[in-house]
Amino acid sequence: MRFARIFALVAVAAGSVLVAPAASAATLPACQHFYTGTIPDRPVTGGHGPGTLVGAVNVGNRLPAPGSVAGGLGADGKVTFTFARVTGAKAYRAFRNGQALQWISDWGQPTLTVTDASPCQNANYQLYAMTAEDNSPGSLGQISTAYRLDGGNHLATYRIPAGTTLNYRVTSYNDVAQTALGYSAGPGFCAVDARNIPWGTRFSVPGYGECYAADIGSWIKDDIVDVWLPGSQADAWGIQRLTLTVR
């Protein structure tokens, strides 16, 4: 672990003063998987895909993601950041590693602020806007890019570079419900360990097609992703070890 540094830096973010603490982002505890129960071993068994490859999910008709994210790790040990309003939004949700962090209703307040009182190392912070406060799938906007603390304790955009390959175990599910992100589950939506693959990441899966990271799962941890297939096709997929390619 890198040594902690004492900063004399004062950063101004969205009209507020952020004082960098003595402990840097590198000294935060590791981010834990949200499921604390026992996860059974899932050995590779093989299987086969649907035959017709799944195309890319289109979320372009949804509200744009909030932008102008600014903030970071403060002297109080909390991560605090602000973001810009989205036209037409009634509320917003913030996430850390795919876990709901904060709900913000838009009533015209001068600053929209998110606070994480228990930050962890290399956490992925993300946001979306909503056209209503009922959290229905149709009201949910596009998920933002991920933001991570940089070496200066400030949040900076983070994404896995296009072309990156990941050697993962790939399982399959067929639940007909909302994904953890809130979209309706279906072809092209995939569950990931959001500590490693931020929501909104697109990647291709050999024998399946295109995946849009928008879900999580109790057993989806570390090097496992879960692709959506209907009915018995999910069982036929089995557990395969494949090389994924980030788009």
Side-chain angles (χ1 to χ4, degrees):
M1 182 176 291
R2 290 176 288 176
F3 61 91
R5 295 177 292 173
I6 298 178
F7 292 91
L9 175 67
V10 176
V12 179
S16 62
V17 176
L18 176 70
V19 181
S24 74
T27 67
L28 293 173
C31 291
Q32 301 300 310
H33 192 262
F34 73 93
Y35 182 66
T36 58
T38 301
I39 299 176
D41 182 38
R42 308 187 77 182
V44 173
T45 60
H48 60 82
T52 301
L53 296 181
V54 174
V57 168
N58 180 15
V59 295
N61 60 340
R62 297 176 179 269
L63 282 179
S68 301
V69 172
L73 182 63
D76 58 1
K78 301 176 182 179
V79 168
T80 302
F81 60 93
T82 58
F83 62 92
R85 278 191 173 80
V86 173
T87 301
K90 302 298 184 183
Y92 310 85
R93 289 189 78 185
F95 298 86
R96 181 189 65 206
N97 294 336
Q99 294 293 292
L101 181 63
Q102 195 168 326
W103 177 297
I104 305 111
S105 295
D106 191 331
W107 44 263
Q109 61 268 52
T111 304
L112 297 161
T113 304
V114 176
T115 300
D116 180 8
S118 302
C120 55
Q121 194 170 143
N122 293 325
N124 293 314
Y125 294 98
Q126 296 184 267
L127 300 153
Y128 63 57
M130 296 180 284
T131 58
E133 294 196 73
D134 59 7
N135 206 36
S136 60
S139 74
L140 309 181
Q142 300 175 49
I143 193 70
S144 73
T145 185
Y147 294 86
R148 283 188 178 186
L149 292 171
D150 61 18
N153 292 341
H154 304 107
L155 285 179
T157 57
Y158 170 80
R159 77 177 305 273
I160 303 174
T164 298
T165 56
L166 305 168
N167 187 247
Y168 269 42
R169 286 174 288 170
V170 184
T171 60
S172 184
Y173 70 119
N174 58 11
D175 298 349
V176 181
Q178 285 182 247
T179 69
L181 178 55
Y183 300 165
S184 296
F189 287 105
C190 299
V192 299
D193 184 339
R195 298 174 302 170
N196 304 325
I197 301 177
W199 276 347
T201 300
R202 294 181 182 274
F203 54 93
S204 61
V205 179
Y208 178 80
E210 300 299 316
C211 264
Y212 182 77
D215 208 351
I216 56 176
S218 299
W219 293 1
I220 309 306
K221 182 180 180 183
D222 298 330
D223 69 335
I224 294 177
V225 300
D226 213 14
V227 301
W228 194 96
L229 284 169
S232 62
Q233 289 186 26
D235 296 325
W237 177 269
I239 301 175
Q240 305 183 48
R241 181 166 288 280
L242 299 167
T243 298
L244 318 179
T245 303
V246 176
R247 296 302 194 190

